[in-house]
Amino acid sequence: QVHLQESGPGLVKPSETLFLTCAVSGYTVTNGYYWGWIRQTPGSGLEWIGSVSRGGAAYYNPSLQTRVSISLDKSKNQVSLKMTSVTAADTAVYYCARGDRNLDYWGQGTLVTVSA
Amino acid sequence: IVLTQSPATLSLSPGERATLSCRASQSVSRYLAWYQQKSGQAPRLLIYGASNRATGVPDRFSGSGSGTDFTLTISSLEPEDFAVYYCQQRNNWPLTFGGGTKVEIK
């Protein structure tokens, strides 16, 4: 069974850089699929952040692409998200998920709050 | 590609039929998926390829459509079906989601 688990700091100060990781079990990330990040602000809908292929090709939401980088860590079988210059508007639950045409496995999500 | 879901809220009783719409600003072929999200939970894949049920999804859920107009139908609402539903496309990058339809108990 494929399982995804996000982890991160929980609280980040404005203007700092956010790092999140998504540990994948039950599937090797380099065997296939895209792996992506999606976020959801409280009471709002889903916003796609970006996705990376098994070969490392990445696609990003145009509204975030200047601040975001997604990569695979093959040695740890995990997916990483780096977001620079965060603001309060980046406060959200961050999910990692497998796929692109459809997202068939999701992590439980991790809440990130941006506050001084 | 912008996905527009309607209605924003659907108020129905258990046992009733729910019809949710997702309209794309340009053709997404059949690369359209539907998700169910309950409060405090991650989204769950229901339908992929416009009409294929994901593993374990009850057959009261069905999807139809192609091109720009898609429908998710719940034939007879069960208490556990009251949730928010999202459509999603990846015919082209960037991947996009619709704004969601909340199915609430009337």
Side-chain angles (χ1 to χ4, degrees):
Chain A
Q1 178 73 340
V2 181
H3 183 72
L4 288 73
Q5 179 69 58
E6 304 89 348
S7 59
L11 180 64
V12 184
K13 290 182 169 56
S15 80
E16 293 190 340
T17 297
L18 169 65
F19 291 96
L20 295 177
T21 58
C22 173
V24 179
S25 58
Y27 192 86
T28 301
V29 296
T30 51
N31 279 356
Y33 293 97
Y34 278 85
W35 301 86
W37 290 91
I38 298 96
R39 70 182 182 180
Q40 185 170 36
T41 53
S44 295
L46 302 167
E47 180 181 30
W48 174 71
I49 298 170
S51 300
V52 62
S53 74
R54 64 176 178 170
Y59 296 87
Y60 300 111
N61 187 321
S63 68
L64 297 169
Q65 64 180 13
T66 61
R67 299 194 292 125
V68 170
S69 176
I70 296 174
S71 59
L72 297 180
D73 185 328
K74 302 172 185 179
S75 64
K76 296 181 180 179
N77 205 44
Q78 65 185 26
V79 190
S80 298
L81 169 68
K82 174 184 174 183
M83 180 180 290
T84 62
S85 305
V86 299
T87 70
D90 296 312
T91 294
V93 175
Y94 286 74
Y95 297 99
C96 59
R98 185 181 83 165
D100 64 308
R101 304 285 195 196
N102 59 82
L103 306 171
D104 58 355
Y105 288 97
W106 294 66
Q108 66 185 25
T110 186
L111 174 63
V112 175
T113 302
V114 180
S115 175
Chain B
I1 296 175
V2 177
L3 299 178
T4 302
Q5 291 189 240
S6 62
T9 303
L10 200 51
S11 298
L12 295 168
S13 301
E16 290 193 293
R17 181 184 189 90
T19 303
L20 288 68
S21 173
C22 177
R23 177 164 291 178
S25 59
Q26 64 188 77
S27 176
V28 298
S29 185
R30 291 182 62 82
Y31 297 117
L32 194 287
W34 290 93
Y35 301 85
Q36 176 193 66
Q37 187 179 34
K38 297 180 181 179
S39 181
Q41 297 184 15
R44 169 198 179 196
L45 176 66
L46 294 177
I47 301 288
Y48 65 94
S51 61
N52 302 290
R53 273 188 299 276
T55 302
V57 174
D59 61 6
R60 63 180 180 272
F61 291 92
S62 64
S64 64
S66 65
T68 60
D69 290 300
F70 299 87
T71 301
L72 173 69
T73 301
I74 310 171
S75 60
S76 178
L77 283 163
E78 297 288 337
E80 62 267 28
D81 298 337
F82 292 91
V84 181
Y85 294 83
Y86 294 96
C87 57
Q88 172 250 321
Q89 72 79 31
R90 217 296 280 163
N91 183 55
N92 295 312
W93 296 105
L95 181 158
T96 52
F97 291 96
T101 291
K102 181 179 181 180
V103 179
E104 65 176 23
I105 299 176
K106 186 175 181 180

